[in-house]
Amino acid sequence: MITFCIAIVVLVISYFTYGKLVECIFDIDTNAATPAVTLRDDVDYMPLPRWRIFIIQFLNIAGLGPIFGAITGAMYGPSAFLWIVLGSVFAGGVHDYFSGMLSLRNKGLSISEVVGVYLGVKSKYLVRIFSFILLIFVGTVFVVGPAKIIDGMTAHALGIQMWIGIILAYYIISTILPINKIISKIYPLFGVAMVLMALGLFGALLINDYSIPELTLSEFKNGTLQPEDTPIFPMLFITFSCGAISGFHATQSPLMARCMTNEKQGRSVFYGTMITEGIVALIWAAAAMVVFRGVPGLNEAMYANDNNAAWAANEITRNLLGKYGGFLALIGIVIAPITSGDTAFRSARLILADSFKFDQKKVKNRLLLSLGIFAIAILLTQVNFDVIWRYFAWSNQTLATMVLWMITIYLAQCKKNYWFVFIPSVFMTLVCSSYILLAPEGLQLDNTLSYILGASFTLIIAILALRKINTYKHI
């Protein structure tokens, strides 16, 4: 319990300290006109109140990541707590803040276009492709995932395919309509449900006499049943993404950059939502360890149920909150992915629109882009859910790494301190390169060889980045 409580406190304090430092380095201009005002079209660009923007951004980035990711990440043991804190504060928060603020400074452009501004045309095209594929993966995962949960909640009355169709129909409508028609109106209600869910679990953990594993030297180990096949490095850092750092967030931030009316809103909207998500992930990770009687019990239960995180989430809410509280929490679990799925498809539409300079004020233009996007998603719903999730996890963290390098170069161009971003960039490069070399969906190389090759690749990237940075010192 001590480790858990300290982690919560550190995350809260970091918003007022490290978050403020990051804001100072960026150097906000409170008098600058924002895209919501200068480019207002009452479809994607329009001013919204800060509290509403915060809720939308939080629900956009949350999804199943801080729930399902937290449950599977907790299988590694209390070391997951450490990654949530360090990742959220020094990597995820920085990533989210700068990706959002740089979009704000560049007419609310999608992240691929922002990358192009600072890293050049080749990088822009690469991130366009990468982010578009990632968003399609996210949207598809967040169709199938909630469909399975709702089907289970309704005793399979309609079947998964029917729920997939219903969710897709909602996604199509919310993707095409102006942001203030559906998303801006219903997200506050969904936000209340999400907050109640997290507070309910948090209260249950504190009030009852539960034993949450502590992060000690003896517990700083791999708790999975097959540690050789699932080494903490890099598996934990790919499995546990949205509660620490996630490239998906960079695709969502431009949506809110188009609705902000002042740059001073950035710390709460971008850095603050990442910290909030980290807190939610901590709560779910702790709850998973508690309900299944420790890390070994969690691993055995997950193994016996085919690593079904949805089943585990149901068990957690039912055991900690009872029948009615558990039902409320399950509604929150359904809401979380749906409120990320709809904006994932919306972001995919905007990436295409930004790429081809295709005006989105007319409904027929939005519909034209959306039909192609949803046709791909419908095909992907027929693919095994676990396969899509595995590739989503790696591509998600790879996009986050690209964005971190973009931020590093931006800071160097501005002759500002870039080391606080350079270090997470190097770390995440090592994580992603090592993972794809040893993972089952990658090259499946020997662990040691994967580490050597991953470290070599990371060293080359770091050297190239430093050479690039050095050129700005003489300008």
Side-chain angles (χ1 to χ4, degrees), residues 408 418-428:
T408 302
Y418 58 83
W419 286 101
F420 74 103
V421 188
F422 180 88
I423 293 172
S425 301
V426 170
F427 178 76
M428 290 305 299

Side-chain angles (χ1 to χ4, degrees), residues 67-231:
I67 301 174
F68 286 13
I71 293 170
T72 53
M75 294 168 67
Y76 288 88
S79 56
F81 293 151
L82 187 61
W83 170 229
I84 294 171
V85 174
L86 295 179
S88 296
V89 175
F90 298 110
V94 174
H95 168 278
D96 288 14
Y97 181 80
F98 275 94
S99 61
M101 294 304 289
L102 290 177
S103 174
L104 186 69
R105 287 268 176 98
N106 288 277
K107 301 180 181 180
L109 289 175
S110 302
I111 189 60
S112 56
E113 310 310 296
V114 175
V115 167
V117 171
Y118 300 106
L119 295 185
V121 175
K122 291 181 180 179
S123 297
K124 176 173 69 175
Y125 289 140
L126 176 62
V127 176
R128 270 182 186 174
I129 296 169
F130 221 91
S131 56
F132 183 77
I133 292 173
L134 174 67
L135 287 167
I136 296 298
F137 277 168
V138 171
T140 304
V141 165
F142 290 165
V143 170
V144 179
K148 286 184 175 181
I149 297 171
I150 298 173
D151 185 52
M153 292 171 64
T154 55
H156 314 291
L158 297 179
I160 293 176
Q161 293 302 319
M162 178 61 75
W163 285 113
I164 285 176
I166 293 172
I167 293 170
L168 275 172
Y170 162 72
Y171 283 175
I172 292 171
I173 295 170
S174 63
T175 299
I176 295 172
L177 289 179
I179 197 166
N180 67 329
K181 296 301 182 183
I182 293 182
I183 293 175
S184 177
K185 284 184 168 60
I186 65 174
Y187 271 39
L189 299 175
F190 289 167
V192 170
M194 285 288 290
V195 169
L196 289 175
M197 174 186 69
L199 289 177
L201 292 174
F202 182 64
L205 290 171
L206 293 183
I207 294 172
N208 295 292
D209 188 23
Y210 291 123
S211 177
I212 302 175
E214 304 290 354
L215 182 60
T216 62
L217 289 177
S218 61
E219 289 295 328
F220 195 76
K221 59 184 180 181
N222 191 335
T224 60
L225 296 178
Q226 298 173 314
E228 277 297 317
D229 295 332
T230 56

Side-chain angles (χ1 to χ4, degrees), residues 207-275:
I207 294 172
N208 295 292
D209 188 23
Y210 291 123
S211 177
I212 302 175
E214 304 290 354
L215 182 60
T216 62
L217 289 177
S218 61
E219 289 295 328
F220 195 76
K221 59 184 180 181
N222 191 335
T224 60
L225 296 178
Q226 298 173 314
E228 277 297 317
D229 295 332
T230 56
I232 285 183
F233 189 92
M235 294 297 190
L236 173 62
F237 306 99
I238 296 291
T239 302
F240 213 136
S241 56
C242 288
I245 180 172
S246 167
F248 173 65
H249 296 186
T251 68
Q252 300 302 288
S253 295
L255 294 179
M256 294 301 95
R258 300 179 185 211
C259 299
M260 293 164 58
T261 55
N262 198 298
E263 288 191 1
K264 67 182 179 182
Q265 298 172 339
R267 182 157 62 100
S268 59
V269 170
F270 300 125
Y271 197 93
T273 52
M274 179 66 249
I275 295 301

Side-chain angles (χ1 to χ4, degrees), residues 334-348:
V334 172
I335 288 170
I338 288 178
T339 54
S340 289
D342 57 5
T343 51
F345 286 121
R346 191 180 190 92
S347 297

Side-chain angles (χ1 to χ4, degrees), residues 431-461:
V431 166
C432 294
S433 56
S434 299
Y435 180 88
I436 202 63
L437 289 168
L438 65 82
E441 59 270 24
L443 298 180
Q444 303 181 38
L445 300 180
D446 173 76
N447 288 6
T448 303
L449 179 59
S450 297
Y451 294 146
I452 294 172
L453 293 176
S456 301
F457 174 77
T458 302
L459 180 61
I460 292 171
I461 295 296

